[in-house]
Amino acid sequence: MRYSNEHKQQTRERLLSSSGALAKRGGFASTGVAGLMKAIGLTGGAFYNHFPSKDDLFTEVVRQELRNSPLARLANQGASRERLGRCLQQYLSLAHLHNPESGCPLPPLGVEIARAATPVREEAEHWLVELHQAWSATLEDDQLAWVLISQCVGALMIGRMLATEGVQSQVLDASRQFVEKALHEAD
């Protein structure tokens, strides 16, 4: 039975959304095609009706996840310095740390992106450069924008590496204080 183009597009979108959450929770490389398809109720054989390869799916997952990340939404809204500070405080929270599937894709997928084929890395670079440009405009400081992006992503990644919530809180608290101080000193 042939499905309509609309049905195929809806299935593709469900696969992208589900794959993004699965990848951020448990890693993309460790999840097979069968597992990705099972998550949306289809067989592994149906995968190739939507993507030529798992690498092509990863490129699309990275594109979609970066475009919809908390940091991207902030960049797209032309934030003020105060709004940027409030959003970064939320970004550096235990709630975000404990819920990778609904948060920023950079901490859970950064290593996989770094090891991925060039198209995936180019997609990530494109998005990061756009984010940097938006934050640079808000902060009026190119270097500070890179430092804050790196600080926030790194703090979340390190926090997720730790076993106890007390130490995780120390990392996030220190990072929030650093961000707040950096934003106020740059005024």
Side-chain angles (χ1 to χ4, degrees), residues 105-120:
L106 292 175
L109 296 179
V111 172
E112 287 188 80
I113 292 169
R115 293 180 181 147
T118 301
V120 175

Side-chain angles (χ1 to χ4, degrees), residues 4 13 39 50 111 130 138 156 172 186:
S4 69
E13 291 302 318
H50 302 284
V111 172
E130 281 188 5
T138 298
L156 212 58
L172 295 177

Side-chain angles (χ1 to χ4, degrees), residues 13-80:
E13 291 302 318
R14 283 187 11 242
L15 177 58
L16 276 169
S17 178
S18 175
S19 296
L22 286 170
K24 290 190 293 184
R25 188 176 327 116
F28 188 81
S30 63
T31 307
V33 168
L36 295 170
M37 295 305 284
K38 183 179 179 184
I40 63 169
L42 296 174
T43 65
F47 174 84
Y48 298 98
N49 292 328
H50 302 284
F51 293 95
S53 71
K54 191 175 172 192
D55 287 343
D56 290 315
L57 171 61
F58 190 48
T59 301
E60 287 302 314
V61 163
V62 168
R63 178 179 292 124
Q64 179 172 303
E65 289 294 327
L66 290 174
R67 187 180 329 126
N68 296 324
S69 77
L71 297 179
R73 287 191 298 269
L74 184 59
N76 293 336
Q77 296 169 355
S80 66

